[in-house]
Amino acid sequence: MATSSAQNDDRLAGARDGAPEPADGTREPADPAADAPAGRDRTLRGAALLATLIALPVTLLVAVLAFTKLSPAEPAATPRPTTARVQSTAPVEMAAPALAARPATVCRALLSQLPPTIRDLAQRPVTAGPEQNAAYGDPALTVACGGTEPTIPATDEVWTVNRVCWHSVEQGDTTVLTAIDRETPVTVRIPRSYEQPLQWVAPVSSAIVASVPSGGAIPAGCRA
């Protein structure tokens, strides 16, 4: 019969393949994994291990760079508290020469315009002539209104600060600045420890412009 002949052929094929023939004559399909070469499996596992070894240090490097970028280069400095200048509040000794009626009026007007502080120097009381004298800070910067008109040599330098012409003279450890383009002279004495004395007379200049009229023998350097 044809069917018996086909089965015999299958048995012979199975015998040639080296696989025993099942009793019922039905053969199971072969396992593909069993047919895969063992060398290929080892190659795949080796490639996966190599990829892991390469990826790990790269991940660590990225993490370190991110941490470094987010972290500050150095801790922020703790702000130091500011310390105010320690200043005496005792009266400052100043002379108070007698003034004629007109200069006395002008000086009272000037004293009313002076600021309560000059930069960080607070105003202090004076021993005499509060209507014509003022003092600031410790050591004291003083402002004196009135007195004798100074004689300015033609070769001396003068400086204009806030529209007021000043003449400067060094006396010991003090810079003496006198406003010489006003009908009543105003003298400011600045201790040498206060650097750049012309900057200290800027607020005094503003008070002079508001209260002391121009006049007197104005040097050529102040008329430019």
Side-chain angles (χ1 to χ4, degrees):
M1 294 177 64
T3 303
S4 177
S5 175
Q7 291 176 350
N8 291 332
D9 292 341
D10 291 337
R11 292 191 186 96
L12 292 174
R16 286 196 298 267
D17 293 339
E21 180 67 26
D24 57 0
T26 303
R27 301 185 65 186
E28 295 293 336
D31 184 2
D35 295 336
R40 179 183 177 188
D41 186 50
R42 287 195 298 271
T43 302
L44 292 175
R45 287 199 299 269
L49 179 60
L50 180 60
T52 301
L53 293 176
I54 294 175
L56 182 59
V58 171
T59 303
L60 291 176
L61 179 60
V62 171
V64 170
L65 292 176
F67 179 79
T68 304
K69 184 176 181 180
L70 294 176
S71 301
E74 58 185 26
T78 303
R80 297 181 180 179
T82 56
T83 303
R85 185 197 298 266
V86 178
Q87 302 178 27
S88 173
T89 58
V92 177
E93 186 173 354
M94 296 186 70
L99 299 177
R102 174 61 182 174
T105 300
V106 171
C107 288
R108 283 194 295 271
L110 171 63
L111 268 291
S112 69
Q113 296 294 322
L114 288 176
T117 61
I118 293 181
R119 297 174 74 170
D120 65 337
L121 306 181
Q123 190 167 4
R124 296 172 57 183
V126 293
T127 57
E131 71 284 349
Q132 66 193 73
N133 294 325
Y136 296 85
D138 183 18
L141 177 156
T142 63
V143 181
C145 180
T148 305
E149 185 81 23
T151 302
I152 308 299
T155 56
D156 280 11
E157 289 186 311
V158 293
W159 292 269
T160 300
V161 180
N162 288 5
R163 296 186 294 162
V164 175
C165 186
W166 294 93
H167 177 257
S168 176
V169 175
E170 300 296 329
Q171 293 182 356
D173 60 353
T174 303
T175 301
V176 181
L177 288 164
T178 304
I180 54 176
D181 60 343
R182 303 289 151 169
E183 68 172 53
T184 299
V186 178
T187 301
V188 179
R189 294 178 178 270
I190 304 172
R192 189 72 60 83
S193 58
Y194 300 152
E195 297 178 355
Q196 299 178 330
L198 289 173
Q199 294 186 6
W200 293 90
V201 297
V204 180
S205 292
S206 299
I208 290 173
V209 170
S211 57
V212 182
S214 299
I218 301 175
C222 295
R223 294 195 294 265

